[in-house]
Amino acid sequence: MADLLAATDYKIPSLRRGQEVSGKVVLVSPAEILIDIGAKSEGIVAGREFTEARDIISSVKVGDSLDATVLYPENDAGQVVLSLTKLSSGKRWDELENKKRDNEEIEVRALEANRGGLISEFVGLRGFLPASLLAAPPAKIEDLVGSTLSVRVVEADRATNRLIFSQKLPGKRDLDALLKKLAKVKIGEKYKGTVSAVLPFGIFVEIKLPKVKKTVADQKEKTSDTSGASKIEGLVHISEISWEKVEDVSKSFNVGDEVEVMVTNCDMTTGRLNLSIRQLLADPFAKASEKYTKDQQVSGKVSRVTPYGVFVTLSAGIEGLMHNSKIPPNLTLTVGEEVECEIEAVDVIGRKISLVPIIKEKPILYR
């Protein structure tokens, strides 16, 4: 066999966990798909990975090329276990940014409907298609759920995970009308509004603009006219919802909720309106220096465990970071665990509190 492989110059690639691979689909069944990735055996997508990737797999057929990530180089059956959902999203964001730049159409699948529009999926990435940007809105927007739609990318911001689709790009007249509405909005002003869409990256809020008295110019005479109150939609990004970290927007908001927001930015080029809820709330960090001081002993609950350290919630809206370099090797902390710490530093401007754990037992090496 060795002589045969050497004669054919055939090489079997070695695979590692997390490696990105490409191959052709050789089998599609209701429970699994097999992909020929050029290894000694096919790669398999099954079980939980198959369920989570159903939206992707629903349109896959034998012969299609797919990118995947290696979960395990070999299972008990000798197969390479693959994931379609864990593939680095960087390539897909790159593709979306290119599509946006070139104004190319893509196909998305409508997953959910709400009053504001459709939550749609593009190869594992979820975006929003506003009802106002549908080419031909049906009587019931729910009728589009499950269908495949041709759209263009209006916004693709990987940093904020913000993805907006459109079936029609606003013409000059529509954009002019939108900009006239934006001109009525003042940065820093408060408005009451209604949640029109709840998305993973934030909520869209429709605010009502005040009635204004305007002059309508005619060819020969000017007549006074009072326009009715108009509405405009803006985005409250997930980072602008609360001073505390928000993990799941849908747990805090529903379509139709009444909210109060502050205008933080108006983009008169694109017609984009940015709103904030947290700017109307008291910043808990404003008085952090009064409540927390260097060398103070405090207790809190572990809120997040990251590759670089552990975040501890000290009080509502205030977290401290215990860097990995401060945590002894024999101390393992888990989310929800109560922990006693000592404050190493308080940075009010940077909104940071540095913590070190209080060790009650001597480290193993010193016993």
Side-chain angles (χ1 to χ4, degrees):
M1 177 62 72
D3 292 339
L4 180 60
L5 290 176
T8 58
D9 197 29
Y10 182 84
K11 295 180 181 179
I12 299 177
S14 59
L15 300 173
R16 65 183 186 280
R17 195 170 181 178
Q19 181 179 345
E20 294 185 3
V21 294
S22 299
K24 286 192 175 183
V25 177
V26 294
L27 173 69
V28 179
S29 77
E32 65 183 26
I33 65 171
L34 297 180
I35 305 173
D36 180 4
I37 57 173
K40 62 182 180 181
S41 64
E42 290 91 355
I44 184 172
V45 180
R48 180 179 177 182
E49 288 299 324
F50 184 90
T51 302
E52 290 184 354
R54 245 179 223 290
D55 293 337
I56 302 173
I57 294 170
S58 62
S59 59
V60 169
K61 58 184 180 299
V62 173
D64 285 352
S65 295
L66 278 183
D67 296 327
T69 302
V70 176
L71 285 184
Y72 301 101
E74 189 172 356
N75 62 8
D76 294 338
Q79 296 169 309
V80 182
V81 181
L82 301 175
S83 169
L84 299 180
T85 57
K86 294 185 184 298
L87 179 66
S88 171
S89 62
K91 291 181 179 178
R92 283 171 283 182
W93 280 109
D94 288 341
E95 182 180 356
L96 287 168
E97 288 166 0
N98 291 334
K99 297 291 186 183
K100 177 179 180 294
R101 182 194 63 211
D102 299 334
N103 196 27
E104 290 185 27
E105 285 194 346
I106 61 172
E107 288 191 344
V108 299
R109 187 165 178 260
L111 302 179
E112 302 172 31
N114 54 43
R115 193 173 70 180
L118 293 165
I119 296 175
S120 306
E121 181 266 341
F122 173 76
V123 197
L125 293 179
R126 290 195 173 195
F128 185 58
L129 173 57
S132 60
L133 296 180
L134 285 168
K140 293 183 179 180
I141 197 169
E142 294 84 0
D143 293 343
L144 293 175
V145 173
S147 62
T148 299
L149 305 170
S150 294
V151 299
R152 286 184 171 86
V153 180
V154 178
E155 291 185 43
D157 188 341
R158 74 178 78 193
T160 60
N161 197 34
R162 179 175 175 174
L163 182 56
I164 309 295
F165 304 121
S166 172
Q167 283 194 314
K168 60 178 183 180
L169 294 178
K172 186 178 185 304
R173 181 179 298 178
D174 294 332
L175 184 58
D176 287 345
L178 180 60
L179 294 180
K180 285 180 181 179
K181 290 183 179 181
L182 270 183
K184 302 176 186 177
V185 177
K186 295 181 180 179
I187 295 177
E189 286 287 320
K190 296 187 294 184
Y191 295 88
K192 291 183 178 180
T194 305
V195 176
S196 57
V198 179
L199 303 164
F201 55 81
I203 60 173
F204 277 91
V205 176
E206 190 178 64
I207 64 173
K208 187 178 292 185
L209 300 175
K211 293 181 179 180
V212 293
K213 192 175 183 181
K214 65 178 183 178
T215 300
V216 180
D218 204 347
Q219 291 182 351
K220 295 184 179 180
E221 60 180 359
K222 294 183 179 180
T223 57
S224 180
D225 177 46
T226 302
S227 63
S230 56
K231 297 178 180 179
I232 191 170
E233 201 171 50
L235 173 70
V236 181
H237 190 263
I238 189 171
S239 62
E240 288 295 329
I241 288 176
S242 172
W243 290 107
E244 299 180 52
K245 185 175 178 62
V246 177
E247 298 288 351
D248 187 349
V249 181
S250 63
K251 290 182 179 179
S252 304
F253 297 94
N254 294 303
V255 173
D257 287 351
E258 299 291 328
V259 295
E260 190 172 34
V261 295
M262 176 190 285
V263 176
T264 57
N265 185 50
C266 299
D267 191 329
M268 299 302 289
T269 303
T270 61
R272 184 191 304 174
L273 177 64
N274 291 336
L275 308 171
S276 175
I277 293 176
R278 77 169 188 169
Q279 297 297 329
L280 298 175
L281 307 174
D283 183 358
F285 246 96
K287 297 184 178 181
S289 60
E290 298 177 10
K291 187 174 182 180
Y292 301 104
T293 57
K294 188 178 185 304
D295 299 328
Q296 178 183 350
Q297 292 189 359
V298 294
S299 61
K301 184 177 290 187
V302 175
S303 56
R304 286 178 288 156
V305 178
T306 70
Y308 52 86
V310 174
F311 283 89
V312 179
T313 299
L314 302 178
S315 59
I318 296 184
E319 284 185 334
L321 172 63
M322 194 183 301
H323 195 272
N324 278 340
S325 61
K326 308 294 182 180
I327 304 175
N330 62 319
L331 179 62
T332 302
L333 298 171
T334 57
V335 173
E337 182 179 350
E338 295 284 343
V339 61
E340 293 186 6
C341 320
E342 184 176 293
I343 295 178
E344 186 178 47
V346 178
D347 180 0
V348 177
I349 297 176
R351 301 177 53 79
K352 296 178 182 178
I353 295 180
S354 301
L355 304 172
V356 293
I358 295 176
I359 308 299
K360 295 183 178 180
E361 296 183 1
K362 291 182 179 179
I364 295 175
L365 295 176
Y366 291 91
R367 292 182 182 175

